Amino acid sequence: ARRGPAPAAPAAAGAFVVEDDYARFLGHTSTPPPALLRDDTDGRVITINSLTKAAAPSLRVGCVVARGPVMQRIRALRIVDDLFVPRPLQETAVELVTGAGWNAHLRFLSATLGERMTALTTALAIELPQCGFTRPQGGFSLWLELPRGVDDADLARRAEGAGVAVGAGRHFVVAEQDTAHLRLCVAGVDLPRIADAVQRLASAF
């Protein structure tokens, strides 16, 4: 219901939609919906994607996809700003995504992230029932809502002292929050260590 008017609304307002689609390859169970660009006939949608999260943190390759005059302007700006992405990096990226193992890698990535997120949410429900969260359907981070009065930065420091690294929510938002949050990430945590990490976080309370 929300996708239908999306491309038409910016055209009526003389504006553009920037679709940050970096997590397209990080879904846990289902196929992601098509990009908004698919339904854009007026050149009003600019889609941004990246290989960094799905392939390797050091593979800093992204792409911008658009149509019409806005794409021509973006292309011209990129030429002025940085000339081009280094050729070896481009060829590495092309070889990666066209290779026989790419789709198998994405399936493995999806299953692995889903397993880790299930382990995380299960442990949180047991160890930190006073906190709230919604299980993500994709990605590698969970937004943990803290009880009122708990300082996220102070809790993050105490968690680090207990041996687990978490992100204070205030560093990931631009507006004031009604309640504090922590950003929990499972990207670099092996499945057997997740329950222990949550126990360490609970001890920091």
Side-chain angles (χ1 to χ4, degrees), residues 85-177:
V85 177
R87 178 76 178 262
L89 194 58
Q90 293 186 60
E91 292 185 353
T92 299
V94 170
E95 184 174 348
L96 176 67
V97 300
T98 58
W102 177 244
N103 288 331
H105 166 72
L106 292 181
R107 289 192 295 270
F108 175 78
L109 177 64
S110 174
T112 299
L113 290 176
E115 290 174 352
R116 292 181 183 180
M117 195 59 68
T118 296
L120 176 61
T121 54
T122 299
L124 288 173
I126 295 171
E127 301 291 341
L128 292 167
Q130 69 272 42
C131 297
F133 62 86
T134 299
R135 189 201 190 284
Q137 297 304 306
F140 43 72
S141 297
L142 180 143
W143 198 240
L144 185 70
E145 181 178 348
L146 304 177
R148 287 191 178 277
V150 177
D151 184 279
D152 57 340
D154 179 60
L155 179 55
R157 285 190 294 268
R158 285 188 277 122
E160 184 176 9
V164 59
V166 296
R170 68 182 66 185
H171 301 310
F172 301 92
V173 298
V174 295
E176 292 293 330
Q177 302 180 84

Side-chain angles (χ1 to χ4, degrees), residues 44-65:
R44 294 286 177 174
V45 176
I46 302 166
T47 296
I48 303 170
N49 208 319
S50 171
L51 287 178
T52 301
K53 301 294 189 292
S58 58
L59 186 61
R60 311 301 288 183
V61 175
C63 67
V64 179
V65 187

